[in-house]
Amino acid sequence: MTEELGAVALRTEGLSKSFGGVHAVDNATTEFYAGRINGLIGPNGSGKTTFFNCVTGMIRPDAGHVFYRDRDITRWQPHRIARAGLGRTFQLCRVFPRLTVLDNLLVAVHPPHPLAYLGRPRVASLVERARGILARVGLDHLETAEARDVSYGQQKLLELAAALMAGPDMVMLDEPAGGVNPALIERIAVLVTELNAEGTTFLVVEHNMEFMMNLCDHVVVFDRGAPIAAGSAAEVQQNPLVLEAYLGV
Amino acid sequence: MRNASDTSTPLRRGSSAVQALRGAGSGRLGPFAAILVVVAVLATWPLLAGNPYMLSAGVIVLNFAVFATAWNLMGGLTGYVSLGHIAFFGLGSYGTGLLVIHSEINAFVAVMAAAVVVGLLSLLVGWAALRVRGASFVIVTIAIVLVMLLVFQSWRSVTGGSTGLVVPRPFPDLLRPEHHRVFFYIFLGLLLLVLVSYLVVDRSRFGQALKAIREDEDKAQSLGIPTAMLKLAAFGISCFLTAIAGGVYALWFGDLDPIFQFDVVLSAQIALMALLGGVRYLFGPLVGAIVVGSALEYFLLNFGETQFHLVATGLLLVAVVLFAPDGVLALAAQLIRRLGPSATSIREESAAEVRAQQDARALAERVEEPGADATTDREDRR
Ligand SMILES: Nc1ncnc2c1ncn2[C@@H]1O[C@H](COP(=O)(O)OP(=O)(O)O)[C@@H](O)[C@H]1O
Ligand SMILES: [Mg+2]
C-alpha cells in the first residue's frame, strides 16, 4: 500500500487532545501521502477539526507528535507551519471581511525579509499572481469588493485562493463542501483535482461521503478521535467498522 | 449612472471625498497633501484664539490629538484596545522631567532619550501583555497604569510623589501667552509626525498585515503572518510616539503629579476620542480629540471640577458604540456618498442601491453556476 501511494507528506504519532473530559483526539496515528488527495472522514464530533488544529499549531496537543515532510513540527507556531508549506482553510469559512478580495490574497504572501514590510502591499508581480489565482477560482471580477460583500460560496473560494497565494505544498481543507450549493461543490472538486494534478498535496475533511469517494486517493476514517480504518475509498466503504461508526449499528 | 459595471465593484467603493477622509486615496501623495492642509488650517488657531486661555486649550486638544493618533496606530490597526496607554505617556513625562532636572542635556534631547527608553520598555511590557486578546488585553493594560500610579506615588524620593515634580521650562524667558504659542506649534509639529507615521504604516505591507490581525488573528497566523512580532512592533511604535507626547507635555505643563500622569480615566478618554472620530480613518482620532477635548474644557469651564465630565464621557462612549461604531467620520463618509455626484436625492440613491444589490446578487448566483463560464462575467464587466 505504502509503495503504491508514494512518500508520506504528513504523519502524526499518538496525537491526543482533550477538552475537560472529552477526548477530542485520542492517540491518533495517521499517514497522509505527498502528491495525493487524502481524505479524512468521520461522523460529526469525531475530532476531525481538532485534529486539524493540532496539526496546524492552532491548538497545542496534550501528547504526540506531528511530522511534516519528516520534520517534527509539533508545537511550532502556526505561522511557521504555514511558511513550511502547510496551508489550511477553516470549517466555518474565514476571510478578512473588511479587506478587499485582492488584499485577502496579497496579505498571504510572506515578505522575503523584514524590511520588505515597509514596502507597499501592491507589488506589481504579486498583484499579477493574485489576479491569476482569482481568475482560476472565478473571482477576478470581484477583486475590489470587500470580502464581507461577496456571497458565502464566493468567500469559500476566496479562502481557498488565499491559501493558494501563500504557495503551499500541501493544503488542508476543513469541510470545503459544507454549506454551499451542489454546483459550487462540483466546482471545488474540479479545482482540487486540477491543483493536485499540478503537484499540490491535499488533505480534505468532509462528512459528505459521496464528495469524498470520487475525489480521494486515500481515505482515513475517524471515530471518537482516532482512526478506525484507512485505505482507498472503495476499501473503507466496505469496512464493517466504518459502517458501524456511520450508521451507528 | 449605475450600470452593470457598478455591480462588479462593491457598493462600498468610495467617492474621492471619502477616500480623502480615509486618507487612503489612490494617489501616492494625496493623503500626505491632506495632512499638510489639515496642519496648515490648525496652525491658524493661535491667531484666532482671543486669549491665553483659549490658546492653552488649543495646546491641550492638540496633545490629545497626538496621543489619540499614536494610540490608533495600535488600537485602530490591530484592534487591540489599550486603555493603559497613559502609562507610557506618564513614563515619557517623568523620564523627560527627571532627565532635565538631573542632567545638563537639552530639554528636547531629553524628550527623545526618554521616549526611546520608554519605547524599549514598552516592548517588554507588550511581550507579556500581547499574549492575551480581547477583554483580557484591556484589563492587563489597565493594570499596567495602576501599577505605575502606585510606583510613582510611593517612590517619593525620585518622583516627588503627590507633592509633584517641578520641571524647569525650556524657554524660561518667555511670557505665559508666548509659552503657550510656542508649545502649540511644537505639538502641531508632533501631530504632523504622528499622522505621517500612521499613514506610512497604514499603507505598508506591515499595516496590511496589522489589519489582517484586526480582522481575524488566527486566520492571519494560518496564512503565515508572524502576528506576535508584528503586534509587538506596532505596540512599540505607538508607545514611543505616546512617550514623546508625554515628554513635551512635561516641558509645557512644568508640574507632574502621578494622579494626572497615570490617570486611567484620561487613558480611556483617549481611546474614546479615537473611537468617536473613527479608528479606520487617518484623521479620526484628531476629529475625536477636537470634539471630546472641547467638550471636556467646556464642562470644566461651566461646571468646575465635578464628576460630571465622567458621566458625560460614559454616556458618549455608549452612544458611540451603539450608534456610530465606525465613528463620526464614517457617518460623514456615508453622508457624502449619499449626496455625492451620482445621486440627485437620497430616495433615488437608495432605490438605485437596492437595484445594484439585486444585480450583484444575480451576478453572484451566476458565478456559482458551473455553466456560467468566465467569459460571460467578463462581458458584463466591460
Ligand atoms: N474548544 C473546544 N472546547 C471543548 N470541546 C471541544 C472544543 N472543540 C471541540 N470540542 C469537542 O471535541 C469533540 C470533537 O470536535 P471536532 O473536532 O469539532 O469534531 P469534528 O470536526 O469531527 O466534527 C466534540 O465532542 C466537541 O464537542
Ligand atoms: Mg469539524
Side-chain angles (χ1 to χ4, degrees):
Chain A
M1 171 82 63
T2 312
E3 290 118 297
E4 248 178 74
L5 288 162
V8 171
L10 178 73
R11 186 160 65 84
T12 64
E13 252 179 42
L15 201 63
S16 299
K17 174 75 197 176
S18 1
F19 299 106
V22 182
H23 298 288
V25 175
D26 194 4
N27 200 17
T29 298
T30 59
E31 283 184 346
F32 302 99
Y33 299 92
R36 302 284 170 179
I37 302 177
N38 300 275
L40 178 61
I41 61 174
N44 260 327
S46 59
K48 306 179 297 293
T49 296
T50 307
F51 177 80
F52 252 47
N53 286 335
C54 288
V55 167
T56 52
M58 310 298 300
I59 290 180
R60 288 201 151 205
D62 299 333
H65 290 272
V66 181
F67 298 92
Y68 179 60
R69 297 191 180 272
D70 291 325
R71 268 194 291 183
D72 189 341
I73 60 167
T74 326
R75 285 169 217 292
W76 280 22
Q77 291 282 318
H79 73 268
R80 205 174 148 210
I81 294 176
R83 287 188 177 199
L86 184 55
R88 71 167 292 178
T89 63
F90 289 85
Q91 177 167 351
L92 296 169
C93 172
R94 281 165 88 163
V95 294
F96 303 115
R98 295 185 74 156
L99 298 189
T100 66
V101 165
L102 185 64
D103 283 338
N104 263 273
L105 266 67
L106 292 178
V107 82
V109 180
H110 319 141
H113 51 89
L115 274 184
Y117 268 113
L118 297 176
R120 291 172 66 83
R122 301 263 159 108
V123 183
S125 59
L126 294 182
V127 170
E128 198 165 316
R129 196 156 79 80
R131 287 193 174 132
I133 294 174
L134 285 176
R136 178 136 204 201
V137 302
L139 295 177
D140 47 338
H141 61 298
L142 290 171
E143 72 170 54
T144 56
E146 283 187 8
R148 60 179 172 168
D149 288 336
V150 307
S151 73
Y152 184 72
Q154 288 167 338
Q155 287 185 6
K156 283 223 143 178
L157 291 169
L158 175 58
E159 194 181 16
L160 176 61
L164 294 175
M165 187 71 189
D169 303 316
M170 176 166 179
V171 183
M172 300 171 58
L173 307 175
D174 198 351
E175 306 217 3
V180 295
N181 64 45
L184 186 56
I185 292 180
E186 179 57 30
R187 186 177 185 147
I188 290 172
V190 170
L191 262 172
V192 168
T193 312
E194 282 175 9
L195 289 163
N196 175 248
E198 291 160 28
T200 308
T201 305
F202 280 91
L203 171 54
V204 184
V205 160
E206 257 307 328
H207 58 247
N208 180 338
M209 275 275 210
E210 203 189 318
F211 175 82
M212 297 291 268
M213 290 309 151
N214 298 323
L215 191 65
C216 298
D217 303 314
H218 177 74
V219 177
V220 172
V221 186
F222 253 45
D223 188 32
R224 283 177 232 143
I228 53 168
S232 72
E235 280 166 8
V236 300
Q237 242 172 339
Q238 271 146 34
N239 188 317
L241 283 172
V242 176
L243 294 174
E244 191 185 323
Y246 259 86
L247 303 172
V249 184
Chain B
M1 283 263 62
R2 287 193 176 266
N3 54 33
S5 70
D6 275 328
T7 64
S8 63
T9 51
L11 309 173
R12 284 191 186 83
R13 96 201 176 305
S15 67
S16 57
V18 175
Q19 296 281 313
L21 265 181
R22 222 174 224 279
S26 48
R28 244 164 207 274
L29 297 176
F32 289 102
I35 291 178
L36 288 181
V37 170
V38 165
V39 168
V41 169
L42 292 175
T44 59
W45 178 250
L47 308 175
L48 302 173
N51 52 50
Y53 174 77
M54 290 305 277
L55 202 49
S56 80
V59 174
I60 289 174
V61 168
L62 272 189
N63 176 33
F64 287 161
V66 172
F67 195 166
T69 306
W71 178 92
N72 203 36
L73 208 148
M74 179 71 193
L77 289 178
T78 69
Y80 275 75
V81 171
S82 159
L83 292 188
H85 253 50
I86 197 131
F88 304 99
F89 184 89
L91 284 172
S93 303
Y94 273 100
T96 300
L98 292 172
L99 272 175
V100 169
I101 291 167
H102 298 295
S103 80
E104 297 292 303
I105 62 174
N106 173 285
F108 293 94
V109 175
V111 171
M112 292 313 289
V116 167
V117 173
V118 173
L120 293 176
L121 189 71
S122 78
L123 293 180
L124 271 180
V125 173
W127 179 74
L130 288 166
R131 284 159 177 265
V132 292
R133 302 182 188 176
S136 309
F137 176 77
V138 176
I139 290 166
V140 170
T141 58
I142 293 174
I144 295 167
V145 185
L146 298 181
V147 169
M148 289 300 155
L149 178 60
L150 273 179
V151 168
F152 277 76
Q153 271 182 335
S154 26
W155 198 8
R156 304 183 65 94
S157 57
V158 173
T159 66
S162 34
T163 335
L165 185 74
V166 175
V167 183
R169 299 193 163 186
F171 316 111
D173 306 333
L174 289 187
L175 294 177
R176 205 154 250 285
E178 278 308 304
H179 178 77
H180 290 327
R181 194 188 313 278
V182 167
F183 271 91
F184 184 90
Y185 289 115
I186 292 174
F187 271 110
L188 198 56
L190 221 47
L191 184 65
L192 185 69
L193 172 74
V194 289
L195 284 172
V196 169
S197 305
Y198 178 89
L199 187 58
V200 167
V201 171
D202 181 47
R203 287 154 60 108
S204 68
R205 258 165 112 161
F206 177 38
Q208 193 188 41
L210 294 178
K211 280 177 240 173
I213 292 172
R214 173 185 77 199
E215 304 278 296
D216 188 337
E217 189 166 346
D218 288 335
K219 176 71 192 171
Q221 273 191 310
S222 81
L223 286 174
I225 298 172
T227 54
M229 214 170 57
L230 297 183
K231 281 187 299 185
L232 191 58
F235 191 70
I237 296 170
S238 172
C239 291
F240 169 70
L241 294 171
T242 301
I244 296 179
V248 174
Y249 175 88
L251 297 181
W252 172 63
F253 199 72
D255 189 359
L256 305 178
D257 181 334
I259 205 92
F260 297 117
Q261 296 313 115
F262 299 104
D263 177 7
V264 115
V265 174
L266 177 58
S267 202
Q269 281 166 341
I270 294 296
L272 171 64
M273 290 171 200
L275 290 168
L276 178 79
V279 293
R280 285 163 204 274
Y281 295 86
L282 169 62
F283 297 120
L286 169 64
V287 169
I290 292 173
V291 173
V292 178
S294 316
L296 288 178
E297 284 298 306
Y298 176 83
F299 287 136
L300 201 64
L301 213 56
N302 289 278
F303 304 101
E305 290 273 359
T306 63
Q307 298 301 325
F308 186 64
H309 69 281
L310 289 183
V311 178
T313 302
L315 289 178
L316 195 57
L317 188 56
V318 171
V320 168
V321 170
L322 286 182
F323 302 114
D326 286 341
V328 292
L329 283 188
L331 291 181
Q334 253 171 35
L335 204 67
I336 290 170
R337 213 175 287 138
R338 285 219 175 138
L339 307 173
S342 69
T344 46
S345 81
I346 289 171
R347 188 181 301 152
E348 198 175 293
E349 174 63 12
S350 56
E353 264 180 11
V354 169
R355 220 178 316 124
Q357 248 157 4
Q358 284 167 344
D359 288 354
R361 217 171 295 132
L363 189 73
E365 269 158 26
R366 225 173 324 138
V367 168
E368 284 175 19
E369 280 165 29
D373 58 14
T375 46
T376 42
D377 292 335
R378 235 169 250 136
E379 270 160 25
D380 278 352
R381 216 161 29 116
R382 285 289 121 200

